[in-house]
Amino acid sequence: MKPVLAILLLVSMFLSVSFLQFTMAESTTGDAPTPSFCDSKCGVRCANAGVKDRCLRYCGVCCQQCNCVPSGTYGNKSECPCYRDKLNSKGNPKCP
């Protein structure tokens, strides 16, 4: 009887820790933008892009890091200096 009780206790502890990790992974931190904020802003920003999936990917990365996306489909980068100043490894602008 004692081994069965010990196994049940271990299984319940494992399940509760797994649930706690899942719950913590879902929560957002402080001022970080929500994915829906970035998705909607980047959708507008990349509406006329030639390679839309690449534009959305890089715009999403920049949005998460900078907490902003310039308005319009091109230009206006002065609205968000962090977004404007991000460079890739070749020294070109990273954010669309």
Side-chain angles (χ1 to χ4, degrees):
M1 183 73 172
K2 287 185 181 181
V4 172
L5 186 59
I7 291 172
L8 287 174
L9 180 63
L10 287 173
V11 168
S12 66
M13 286 175 52
F14 175 75
L15 290 175
S16 62
V17 168
S18 297
F19 180 72
L20 179 65
Q21 287 177 346
F22 177 74
T23 305
M24 290 176 69
E26 290 288 320
S27 66
T28 58
T29 58
D31 296 327
T34 61
S36 61
F37 169 79
C38 289
D39 290 346
S40 64
K41 293 288 189 179
C42 289
V44 171
R45 184 80 180 167
C46 297
N48 298 337
V51 186
K52 195 168 190 170
D53 60 334
R54 186 181 306 163
C55 180
L56 289 170
R57 181 175 53 237
Y58 289 119
C59 180
V61 168
C62 294
C63 177
Q64 290 292 325
Q65 293 174 354
C66 296
N67 298 329
C68 65
V69 175
S71 61
T73 57
Y74 184 79
N76 303 325
K77 288 188 176 182
S78 60
E79 295 175 358
C80 185
C82 171
Y83 192 96
R84 176 193 64 213
D85 297 338
K86 289 214 168 290
L87 301 175
N88 63 18
S89 61
K90 295 179 181 177
N92 296 326
K94 179 176 186 174
C95 306

